[in-house]
């Protein structure tokens, strides 16, 4: 049951992080910045790069965390099945 709770928490956290990474441009439009980075205005290049690479990195993190949580859920399910089989064999004997 702990793995399911962890999965819900991670899902909510990653959803918030995805929304923030995808909407960095809105934050930059609220607080305009002067200057240049790689020859482009910071106000334009930083939201583009953080959006692209931020979403890319978050996707990798989400997939790895999801795989680990799925393995933990599988272990918990197998453990519950073995407990159920042991109880059934004890009751039948």
């Amino acid at each position: 049951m702990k793995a399911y709770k962890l999965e819900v928490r991670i899902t909510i956290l990653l959803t918030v992080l995805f929304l923030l990474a995808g909407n960095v441009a809105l934050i930059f439009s609220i607080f305009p910045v002067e200057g240049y980075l790689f020859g482009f205005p910071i106000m334009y290049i930083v939201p583009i790069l953080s959006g692209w690479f931020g979403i890319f990195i978050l996707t990798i993190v989400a997939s790895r965390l999801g795989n680990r949580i799925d393995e933990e859920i599988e272990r918990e399910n197998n453990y519950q099945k073995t407990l159920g089989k042991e109880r059934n064999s004890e009751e039948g004997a």
Side-chain angles (χ1 to χ4, degrees):
M1 200 59 150
K2 289 181 183 180
Y4 288 112
K5 290 180 183 179
L6 180 64
E7 184 176 24
V8 169
R9 288 183 186 144
I10 294 294
T11 301
I12 291 170
L13 176 69
L14 284 171
T15 300
V16 170
L17 290 175
F18 271 113
L19 286 171
L20 287 175
N23 293 306
V24 172
L26 291 175
I27 296 168
F28 269 78
S29 67
I30 294 171
F31 306 106
V33 178
E34 296 288 327
Y36 290 90
L37 179 69
F38 304 125
F40 297 100
I42 290 176
M43 191 170 169
Y44 300 117
I45 194 68
V46 170
I48 289 171
L49 292 176
S50 66
W52 288 348
F53 294 116
I55 296 295
F56 177 70
I57 291 168
L58 282 174
T59 302
I60 292 171
V61 169
S63 66
R64 290 189 178 169
L65 282 175
N67 286 339
R68 288 182 185 164
I69 292 171
D70 287 343
E71 289 170 1
E72 182 65 29
I73 289 173
E74 180 109 9
R75 271 188 247 125
E76 284 183 11
N77 288 340
N78 288 338
Y79 179 71
Q80 292 295 329
K81 285 180 185 178
T82 56
L83 281 181
K85 288 179 182 178
E86 288 175 5
R87 287 182 188 161
N88 287 340
S89 64
E90 288 175 4
E91 290 174 3

